[in-house]
Amino acid sequence: MKQQNTLTTKMNKTFLFIPLLLFLLSCRHDAAMVNPTAGFLLSISHQVDGKPLLFDTLAYKNAAGEKYSISRLQYYLSNIRFYAQGKMLFHTDTILYVDAAQSASLRWVNIPVAHYDSISYLIGIDSTYNFHDKLWPTMQNIAMEWPQTMGGGYHFLKLEGHWQDLSSLIGFAAHLGANPYLVHGNLSCSLDAKAGNDIKLNFVMNVNEWFTHPFVFSFNTDGVYTMGNAKLMQKLADNGGDVFSMVP
Amino acid sequence: MEGMFFQWYHKVLHRVIMVGLIAFLVGASTLSACKKNNDDNPSSTDSTVVLTPYEIIAPAHFPILEIPNDNKPTVERIKLGRMLYYDTLLSNDGRACAGCHLQSKGFATDLLYQGVPVLPHENLAWNSNFMWEASKQGTLEDVMLFEVQTFFATNLEKVNQNTTYRQLVKKYFGVNKITYKELSYSLAQFVRTLISRDTKYDRFIRGEAALNYDELQGRNLFFSERGDCFHCHINPVMTDNQLHNIGLDSLYTKVLDKGYFNLSGKVSDLGKFRTPNLRNVALRKYLMHDGRYSSLEEVVEFYNSGVHKVFNVDPIMTKPGKENGLNLTAQEKKQIVSFLQTLTDYTMLADTALSAPY
């Protein structure tokens, strides 16, 4: 009988222990909530002065008044950082390859809860990764490689198409690469990252901005091919700083 | 009182745990059943199918190989695919895949098929666009399905009468009746092993061989703004697998010359063709989509002085300094040809694992 009582007591203790464990686990969960986090979902789209980007359509006009079409738009977006009152609270090492012919998006979790007021990013790849075979060898990354015989690394941007000259269409290839021509961009924002929420970010590239501000880029007077041309690549890199805007 | 409370508590807790346990077991078994139902690979549900995984060795610095989950390489299915590749049973007129894709020619041929050079079966594992006009897109399984279902119009009844194939398909796929799926999956497995990875240039990349002076100069021209071949024939794959108009024609009177336009109907796609792989290019008798050139010298001369500045010619073809061609010297042209000849893969041409299995 004593033995049975002892067993009952042991069982009771065991069953007391289970809810206690559950309680403690739930306490642990609560402890984790001390640093609540949010998520960001970034999607990227492309347009030309408010018009949707349609490939191979002579529907666009640059700041120099030249009509042009776009046949290819590929680039890297990297080093995305989120700031609140000047303090960087979140950054990512992700290097996103974007082909405007396809949809592109990224999702981050564990974003510190805060009110974010600015985002910085790079178009291209910083020098840490910009050398031969550094990126994961996908077909896209290999196609973006800058030949080793020309210094190695990767194209940051391939923007190609045709522009309407007086009597004919002439091809242009606005290519960027090499460390000095990395494009630095900043966006002001007002993002309330609340615990458990996924916040949608929509980056929209206005392709015409590559040819507009601060320097007007004319296919006729500047040229149609930038690769290997330091002056033109610098112009593109300077213009690239405000190609993106954020829309709700 | 305390004893009654514990008794009651014990009962309630016991029931909660039991209900939870039952719910968990039911959920787990449901999930497991769902997983089985969603599995496309018939062999994975058939315990009698035993397959040996096979590792495909990619050339150095090549992109990651993406292979559909339901057709991962196995020794057995590659073997079956190899048998089918060399078997005229697939066609109704005595043809086999290997009839036009000769190993000695880098899995291409010296003949034109309906006026079009046969594209080589080499490194197709990395392709997503197939045929000159990229008329087929997707995986190798998709393309091989087209080959048996449409191109050969394989008579399945005839194939099912073949005891050897029926037994092998049963053994490797776990199905009693052969369908286009098993044929295309097996062919895709074998074609995925047709890899060029040991050209002289590959060995140069790996540091195992040296290029001679002309080959090296040719390589430097190939990967430079001056020669500018690299934008489309990317290193070391030798194709970007994309569509380009390289200015071969100024008029598109022949349907054959219209390229991707024939599929898209868009004027901007006139004359666009998929970049061909340059591996084993020196073995080819006919070059370009209509075989208009028959030597590498002619092709290099086309790029040097023959590009038509049509409205949709690829911008790379007419960049500054190239409006009137590359203006290469005779020696430079010779050097580019020398480099292209380093892309012949004699190891692949002699690989007995790729040859006829009988």
Side-chain angles (χ1 to χ4, degrees):
Chain A
M1 187 65 185
K2 193 181 172 185
Q3 210 173 13
Q4 195 181 352
N5 281 342
T6 309
L7 190 66
T8 309
T9 310
K10 274 184 184 171
M11 280 178 74
N12 286 338
K13 280 180 181 170
T14 305
F15 280 105
L16 258 179
F17 177 72
I18 290 171
L20 185 64
L21 186 68
L22 289 170
F23 175 73
L24 286 173
L25 283 172
S26 68
C27 287
R28 196 166 162 241
H29 179 68
D30 285 340
M33 295 299 281
V34 169
N35 293 314
T37 58
F40 281 158
L41 180 63
L42 170 68
S43 65
I44 297 166
S45 58
H46 306 86
Q47 54 168 244
V48 187
D49 288 344
K51 295 179 186 174
L53 171 55
L54 299 173
F55 285 100
D56 298 314
T57 308
L58 200 68
Y60 312 119
K61 193 177 271 189
N62 65 16
E66 297 155 343
K67 284 183 81 176
Y68 70 99
S69 66
I70 297 161
S71 55
R72 181 190 305 271
L73 174 56
Q74 295 157 340
Y75 60 93
Y76 288 109
L77 188 63
S78 64
N79 287 49
I80 302 174
R81 291 155 196 248
F82 294 84
Y83 298 85
Q85 295 181 320
K87 190 179 174 190
M88 187 186 70
L89 297 185
F90 180 75
H91 71 95
T92 171
D93 291 333
T94 303
I95 297 170
L96 180 65
Y97 168 80
V98 181
D99 183 339
Q102 291 154 8
S103 63
S105 63
L106 264 180
R107 185 168 183 269
W108 299 286
V109 292
N110 298 327
I111 307 284
V113 165
H115 181 84
Y116 292 92
D117 50 30
S118 73
I119 302 171
S120 69
Y121 59 87
L122 299 174
I123 298 177
I125 299 164
D126 74 24
S127 55
T128 319
Y129 294 96
N130 189 32
F131 55 88
H132 183 62
D133 272 357
K134 180 65 179 174
L135 298 187
W136 189 245
T138 61
M139 193 72 180
Q140 292 89 344
N141 286 339
I142 285 178
M144 290 292 270
E145 283 209 48
W146 196 279
Q148 268 183 296
T149 47
M150 294 170 63
Y154 294 85
H155 285 80
F156 299 160
L157 166 79
K158 285 183 182 178
L159 169 56
E160 298 173 10
H162 294 81
W163 74 282
Q164 177 77 66
D165 195 6
L166 290 176
S167 58
S168 59
L169 288 177
I170 296 176
F172 72 86
H175 287 195
L176 266 185
N179 295 335
Y181 309 110
L182 197 54
V183 178
H184 296 260
N186 279 287
L187 287 169
S188 295
C189 62
S190 179
L191 301 170
D192 253 330
K194 291 179 180 165
N197 282 3
D198 259 354
I199 296 179
K200 289 181 180 170
L201 312 174
N202 299 308
F203 277 22
V204 180
M205 177 189 282
N206 179 3
V207 182
N208 226 359
E209 286 296 341
W210 287 104
F211 309 122
T212 305
H213 179 263
F215 304 109
V216 172
F217 189 113
S218 161
F219 300 125
N220 187 34
T221 57
D222 285 307
V224 292
Y225 196 77
T226 61
M227 193 169 171
N229 184 325
K231 189 181 162 194
L232 290 187
M233 287 206 289
Q234 188 61 61
K235 203 168 189 176
L236 268 186
D238 290 340
N239 283 355
D242 58 0
V243 294
F244 277 114
S245 58
M246 268 183 69
V247 297
Chain B
M1 190 65 185
E2 188 188 344
M4 277 176 69
F5 169 76
F6 275 121
Q7 215 169 11
W8 170 82
Y9 186 75
H10 181 181
K11 275 183 184 173
V12 170
L13 202 59
H14 185 254
R15 279 181 189 170
V16 167
I17 288 170
M18 286 307 287
V19 168
L21 192 62
I22 289 165
F24 172 75
L25 289 172
V26 168
S29 63
T30 308
L31 280 175
S32 167
C34 289
K35 198 181 169 201
K36 275 183 182 175
N37 290 339
N38 287 337
D39 202 327
D40 289 329
N41 187 356
S43 65
S44 66
T45 56
D46 190 332
S47 58
T48 61
V49 175
V50 180
L51 298 169
T52 316
Y54 178 88
E55 189 190 353
I56 290 183
I57 300 167
H61 308 291
F62 252 53
I64 293 158
L65 191 52
E66 290 174 11
I67 301 175
N69 281 331
D70 65 347
N71 202 27
K72 293 293 182 195
T74 63
V75 172
E76 294 80 7
R77 288 187 184 180
I78 290 169
K79 179 187 160 192
L80 176 56
R82 183 181 171 195
M83 290 169 67
L84 291 166
Y85 193 85
Y86 283 92
D87 200 331
T88 56
L89 184 73
L90 289 188
S91 75
N92 303 305
D93 54 9
R95 290 178 296 161
C97 303
C100 286
H101 298 278
L102 308 168
Q103 185 176 11
S104 59
K105 298 291 175 187
F107 291 94
T109 181
D110 275 350
L111 302 172
L112 296 173
Y113 179 78
Q114 295 180 344
V116 177
V118 173
L119 281 165
H121 280 177
E122 55 187 13
N123 297 357
L124 294 189
W126 285 270
N127 278 19
S128 53
N129 289 325
F130 301 85
M131 316 295 175
W132 280 104
E133 297 173 350
S135 57
K136 300 291 168 289
Q137 296 171 352
T139 63
L140 261 181
E141 282 72 9
D142 298 327
V143 181
M144 291 303 138
L145 183 64
F146 159 78
E147 300 287 2
V148 288
Q149 200 164 22
T150 307
F151 183 74
F152 278 150
T154 302
N155 183 339
L156 288 176
E157 205 177 315
K158 194 170 68 175
V159 178
N160 273 293
Q161 283 166 6
N162 184 301
T163 315
T164 307
Y165 283 131
R166 228 179 40 248
Q167 285 173 348
L168 290 177
V169 165
K170 169 73 180 165
K171 208 168 157 188
Y172 304 153
F173 287 89
V175 294
N176 293 319
K177 193 174 178 188
I178 303 170
T179 68
Y180 289 126
K181 180 179 175 177
E182 291 76 41
L183 298 178
S184 57
Y185 271 42
S186 303
L187 284 169
Q189 289 244 353
F190 176 63
V191 172
R192 209 166 259 128
T193 67
L194 302 180
I195 293 176
S196 164
R197 59 170 159 258
D198 199 34
T199 66
K200 186 175 182 182
Y201 180 56
D202 287 314
R203 294 198 296 277
F204 168 76
I205 291 175
R206 298 197 298 259
E208 297 166 8
L211 300 183
N212 66 33
Y213 177 77
D214 279 346
E215 291 164 348
L216 196 58
Q217 291 302 109
R219 175 247 187 186
N220 292 342
L221 279 164
F222 190 97
F223 296 108
S224 72
E225 293 290 353
R226 183 150 167 68
D228 206 358
C229 315
F230 72 88
H231 272 109
C232 300
H233 298 285
I234 61 173
N235 186 41
V237 189
M238 293 299 159
T239 172
D240 64 354
N241 202 24
Q242 299 297 308
L243 294 153
H244 303 272
N245 182 328
I246 57 169
L248 267 177
D249 296 297
S250 55
L251 295 170
Y252 302 99
T253 48
K254 287 191 286 180
V255 172
L256 186 63
D257 295 335
K258 293 181 182 177
Y260 192 59
F261 169 86
N262 291 327
L263 287 114
S264 74
K266 286 171 63 182
V267 175
S268 56
D269 289 330
L270 275 168
K272 283 188 181 175
F273 292 93
R274 194 175 63 81
T275 309
N277 191 337
L278 293 186
R279 286 168 176 269
N280 290 317
V281 71
L283 299 174
R284 283 168 216 159
K285 188 174 175 185
Y286 296 107
L287 298 149
M288 301 296 178
H289 68 276
D290 56 355
R292 69 181 65 186
Y293 301 128
S294 54
S295 72
L296 293 176
E297 287 78 6
E298 283 179 77
V299 173
V300 173
E301 191 52 54
F302 155 72
Y303 286 111
N304 191 51
S305 60
V307 173
H308 294 283
K309 288 181 273 182
V310 288
F311 72 97
N312 65 340
V313 69
D314 197 287
I316 300 298
M317 303 300 297
T318 55
K319 64 188 195 188
K322 284 174 70 176
E323 297 94 339
N324 299 308
L326 297 174
N327 294 314
L328 299 171
T329 65
Q331 190 188 16
E332 286 173 326
K333 285 185 271 185
K334 183 172 158 282
Q335 287 168 337
I336 290 180
V337 170
S338 296
F339 171 66
L340 292 173
Q341 286 166 338
T342 70
L343 301 176
T344 303
D345 191 340
Y346 295 103
T347 306
M348 182 193 197
L349 304 184
D351 188 348
T352 53
L354 309 179
S355 59
Y358 37 77

